[in-house]
Amino acid sequence: MAKLKAGVLISGRGSNLLALLEACAAADFPAEIALVVSNRAEADGLAHAARFGVPTQIVPHGDFADRESFDRVVSAALEAAGVELVCLAGFMRIFSPWFPAHWANRIINIHPSLLPSFKGLHVHQQAIDAGVRVSGATVHLVTNDLDGGPIVAQAAVPVLPDDTARTLATRILQAEHALYPLALRWFAERRVRLQSTPGKPDRVVIDGIAPDGAVLWQA
Ligand code: GRF
């Protein structure tokens, strides 16, 4: 079966991009990264893509009068590269309603908390301030509801008594690097389905994976 072509959108460091690039480098991994797009020319992640020989494109958001014109250019670049699934990896732009509608059910994000807890920014500080014992990471479908789309997979990570936002972020990031490639694999293996029940939010079902298989536990 042909490999699934993924496109990755970044804005900065790109450590999740690197985890995806490393996973895709394995001959038997069912996905490949066809394009990396950054809205910032100075994003460190661009160097990771170059090292793996993956094409990159910089689309500076400041060049556009409004969000939708930026989104349409990014989308056209992804489509020109044959991208089937868009993976957000530290992409710090909010889309216009057009983009998630255009890529409906073909766009995922990784967020460093156990959603629906702690949406938005300063997520690790939010978790520490709330006194939770467990936080983690979530891969979810992207909809117009910020950090609110159907959940694909989660990783649970302990919050330790002495944690600062920085130490917690480091521990969760390690889990992200395992979780994101796993979720990409499921998409590439065509296991991911959306289950709709009238009156309820859509749910993601992963065919052929035991119910607890969509959770990673990290000590
Ligand atoms: C990660 O913590 C990710 O969950 C969040 O932004 C951060 C990006 O880090 N959405 P990196 O650029 O992948 O290193």
Side-chain angles (χ1 to χ4, degrees):
M1 209 204 239
K3 292 192 180 212
L4 175 113
K5 285 186 194 293
V8 184
L9 304 193
I10 62 167
S11 297
R13 179 177 57 185
S15 70
N16 278 289
L17 165 65
L18 180 59
L20 295 177
L21 287 163
E22 285 172 347
C24 290
D28 62 349
F29 195 80
E32 62 185 315
I33 299 180
L35 181 67
V36 172
V37 178
S38 173
N39 64 312
R40 291 178 57 239
E42 62 277 23
D44 289 336
L46 289 166
H48 296 317
R51 223 172 50 246
F52 280 77
V54 170
T56 58
Q57 196 157 329
I58 296 158
V59 185
H61 57 270
D63 288 358
F64 298 86
D66 54 59
R67 284 187 196 278
E68 188 172 318
S69 356
F70 168 78
D71 290 357
R72 283 181 183 269
V73 168
V74 170
S75 185
L78 293 166
E79 278 166 355
V83 166
E84 299 159 89
L85 179 76
V86 181
C87 303
L88 308 185
F91 182 64
M92 300 303 286
R93 297 295 300 166
I94 293 176
F95 293 116
S96 67
W98 179 84
F99 196 94
H102 186 74
W103 288 91
N105 305 327
R106 297 182 298 146
I107 172 168
I108 56 177
N109 179 43
I110 187 155
H111 181 81
S113 76
L114 290 176
L115 290 171
S117 292
F118 315 132
K119 297 179 176 180
L121 297 175
H122 310 299
V123 168
H124 306 297
Q125 194 59 50
Q126 288 189 53
I128 288 168
D129 292 347
V132 294
R133 306 289 197 220
V134 180
S135 189
T138 303
V139 174
H140 63 95
L141 290 173
V142 173
T143 63
N144 279 315
D145 180 8
L146 189 67
D147 298 329
I151 290 169
V152 177
Q154 292 188 303
V157 176
V159 181
L160 303 181
D162 293 336
D163 265 336
T164 61
R166 186 182 288 263
T167 59
L168 180 58
T170 303
R171 193 174 313 112
I172 289 178
L173 197 61
Q174 264 184 299
E176 293 181 44
H177 296 163
L179 189 69
Y180 217 2
L182 184 63
L184 176 58
R185 169 182 283 280
W186 290 336
F187 276 90
E189 291 172 344
R190 322 277 166 189
R191 293 179 187 274
V192 180
R193 264 189 308 119
L194 206 60
Q195 194 175 62
S196 300
T197 310
K200 300 220 169 141
D202 288 344
R203 265 174 194 249
V204 168
V205 179
I206 319 281
D207 283 329
I209 300 289
D212 64 352
V215 187
L216 294 182
W217 304 93
Q218 181 175 295

